[in-house]
PDB file of all heavy atoms in Angstrom:
ATOM      1  N   MET P 104      22.352 -56.795 -65.329  1.00 94.00           N
ATOM      2  CA  MET P 104      21.447 -56.459 -64.044  1.00 94.00           C
ATOM      3  C   MET P 104      21.066 -55.037 -63.960  1.00 94.00           C
ATOM      4  O   MET P 104      21.595 -54.216 -64.632  1.00 94.00           O
ATOM      5  CB  MET P 104      22.269 -56.969 -62.831  1.00 94.00           C
ATOM      6  CG  MET P 104      23.545 -56.207 -62.633  1.00 94.00           C
ATOM      7  SD  MET P 104      24.407 -56.806 -60.974  1.00 94.00           S
ATOM      8  CE  MET P 104      25.303 -58.103 -61.663  1.00 94.00           C
ATOM      9  N   CYS P 105      20.166 -54.772 -63.063  1.00 95.00           N
ATOM     10  CA  CYS P 105      19.682 -53.489 -62.880  1.00 95.00           C
ATOM     11  C   CYS P 105      20.850 -52.574 -62.197  1.00 95.00           C
ATOM     12  O   CYS P 105      21.568 -53.130 -61.379  1.00 95.00           O
ATOM     13  CB  CYS P 105      18.573 -53.448 -61.876  1.00 95.00           C
ATOM     14  SG  CYS P 105      17.957 -51.898 -61.455  1.00 95.00           S
ATOM     15  N   ASN P 106      20.898 -51.436 -62.631  1.00 93.00           N
ATOM     16  CA  ASN P 106      21.925 -50.448 -62.135  1.00 93.00           C
ATOM     17  C   ASN P 106      21.909 -50.398 -60.487  1.00 93.00           C
ATOM     18  O   ASN P 106      22.980 -50.325 -59.858  1.00 93.00           O
ATOM     19  CB  ASN P 106      21.596 -49.003 -62.415  1.00 93.00           C
ATOM     20  CG  ASN P 106      21.764 -48.737 -63.872  1.00 93.00           C
ATOM     21  OD1 ASN P 106      22.661 -49.345 -64.521  1.00 93.00           O
ATOM     22  ND2 ASN P 106      20.958 -47.832 -64.443  1.00 93.00           N
ATOM     23  N   THR P 107      20.734 -50.582 -60.021  1.00 93.00           N
ATOM     24  CA  THR P 107      20.647 -50.529 -58.599  1.00 93.00           C
ATOM     25  C   THR P 107      21.217 -51.620 -57.881  1.00 93.00           C
ATOM     26  O   THR P 107      21.283 -51.660 -56.680  1.00 93.00           O
ATOM     27  CB  THR P 107      19.170 -50.235 -58.128  1.00 93.00           C
ATOM     28  OG1 THR P 107      18.441 -51.340 -58.507  1.00 93.00           O
ATOM     29  CG2 THR P 107      18.471 -49.065 -58.897  1.00 93.00           C
ATOM     30  N   LYS P 108      21.649 -52.692 -58.600  1.00 93.00           N
ATOM     31  CA  LYS P 108      22.159 -53.804 -58.017  1.00 93.00           C
ATOM     32  C   LYS P 108      23.664 -53.894 -57.989  1.00 93.00           C
ATOM     33  O   LYS P 108      24.304 -54.751 -57.450  1.00 93.00           O
ATOM     34  CB  LYS P 108      21.580 -55.079 -58.632  1.00 93.00           C
ATOM     35  CG  LYS P 108      20.072 -55.191 -58.766  1.00 93.00           C
ATOM     36  CD  LYS P 108      19.624 -56.545 -58.237  1.00 93.00           C
ATOM     37  CE  LYS P 108      18.194 -56.450 -57.765  1.00 93.00           C
ATOM     38  NZ  LYS P 108      17.365 -55.869 -58.754  1.00 93.00           N
ATOM     39  N   VAL P 109      24.273 -53.034 -58.669  1.00 95.00           N
ATOM     40  CA  VAL P 109      25.686 -52.862 -58.895  1.00 95.00           C
ATOM     41  C   VAL P 109      26.374 -52.781 -57.521  1.00 95.00           C
ATOM     42  O   VAL P 109      27.307 -53.364 -57.180  1.00 95.00           O
ATOM     43  CB  VAL P 109      26.166 -51.961 -59.968  1.00 95.00           C
ATOM     44  CG1 VAL P 109      27.664 -51.828 -59.870  1.00 95.00           C
ATOM     45  CG2 VAL P 109      25.598 -52.250 -61.247  1.00 95.00           C
ATOM     46  N   GLY P 110      25.908 -51.750 -56.738  1.00 95.00           N
ATOM     47  CA  GLY P 110      26.502 -51.549 -55.490  1.00 95.00           C
ATOM     48  C   GLY P 110      26.526 -52.746 -54.632  1.00 95.00           C
ATOM     49  O   GLY P 110      27.576 -53.113 -53.968  1.00 95.00           O
ATOM     50  N   ARG P 111      25.343 -53.400 -54.505  1.00 94.00           N
ATOM     51  CA  ARG P 111      25.280 -54.586 -53.695  1.00 94.00           C
ATOM     52  C   ARG P 111      26.165 -55.647 -54.118  1.00 94.00           C
ATOM     53  O   ARG P 111      26.690 -56.307 -53.335  1.00 94.00           O
ATOM     54  CB  ARG P 111      23.775 -55.005 -53.598  1.00 94.00           C
ATOM     55  CG  ARG P 111      23.505 -56.090 -52.906  1.00 94.00           C
ATOM     56  CD  ARG P 111      23.437 -55.991 -51.398  1.00 94.00           C
ATOM     57  NE  ARG P 111      23.716 -57.218 -50.705  1.00 94.00           N
ATOM     58  CZ  ARG P 111      24.726 -57.302 -49.796  1.00 94.00           C
ATOM     59  NH1 ARG P 111      25.432 -56.267 -49.331  1.00 94.00           N
ATOM     60  NH2 ARG P 111      24.958 -58.453 -49.302  1.00 94.00           N
ATOM     61  N   SER P 112      26.336 -55.766 -55.366  1.00 94.00           N
ATOM     62  CA  SER P 112      27.224 -56.786 -55.979  1.00 94.00           C
ATOM     63  C   SER P 112      28.653 -56.501 -55.578  1.00 94.00           C
ATOM     64  O   SER P 112      29.422 -57.510 -55.157  1.00 94.00           O
ATOM     65  CB  SER P 112      27.157 -56.836 -57.474  1.00 94.00           C
ATOM     66  OG  SER P 112      25.777 -57.235 -57.794  1.00 94.00           O
ATOM     67  N   ILE P 113      29.092 -55.227 -55.641  1.00 95.00           N
ATOM     68  CA  ILE P 113      30.443 -54.992 -55.219  1.00 95.00           C
ATOM     69  C   ILE P 113      30.640 -55.407 -53.786  1.00 95.00           C
ATOM     70  O   ILE P 113      31.630 -55.868 -53.354  1.00 95.00           O
ATOM     71  CB  ILE P 113      30.784 -53.395 -55.470  1.00 95.00           C
ATOM     72  CG1 ILE P 113      30.659 -53.147 -57.014  1.00 95.00           C
ATOM     73  CG2 ILE P 113      32.134 -53.091 -55.018  1.00 95.00           C
ATOM     74  CD1 ILE P 113      30.938 -51.735 -57.366  1.00 95.00           C
ATOM     75  N   GLU P 114      29.652 -55.058 -53.039  1.00 95.00           N
ATOM     76  CA  GLU P 114      29.753 -55.408 -51.523  1.00 95.00           C
ATOM     77  C   GLU P 114      30.000 -56.810 -51.424  1.00 95.00           C
ATOM     78  O   GLU P 114      30.820 -57.288 -50.581  1.00 95.00           O
ATOM     79  CB  GLU P 114      28.497 -54.952 -50.821  1.00 95.00           C
ATOM     80  CG  GLU P 114      28.463 -53.556 -50.305  1.00 95.00           C
ATOM     81  CD  GLU P 114      27.285 -53.419 -49.265  1.00 95.00           C
ATOM     82  OE1 GLU P 114      27.317 -53.951 -48.219  1.00 95.00           O
ATOM     83  OE2 GLU P 114      26.316 -52.579 -49.717  1.00 95.00           O
ATOM     84  N   THR P 115      29.261 -57.640 -52.126  1.00 93.00           N
ATOM     85  CA  THR P 115      29.303 -59.088 -52.079  1.00 93.00           C
ATOM     86  C   THR P 115      30.696 -59.538 -52.332  1.00 93.00           C
ATOM     87  O   THR P 115      31.229 -60.319 -51.734  1.00 93.00           O
ATOM     88  CB  THR P 115      28.308 -59.650 -52.925  1.00 93.00           C
ATOM     89  OG1 THR P 115      26.991 -59.175 -52.577  1.00 93.00           O
ATOM     90  CG2 THR P 115      28.310 -61.292 -52.676  1.00 93.00           C
TER      91      THR P 115
END
Side-chain angles (χ1 to χ4, degrees):
Chain P
M104 63 179 86
C105 174
N106 288 328
T107 64
K108 301 235 162 47
V109 174
R111 177 78 208 123
S112 296
I113 297 180
E114 271 191 71
T115 305

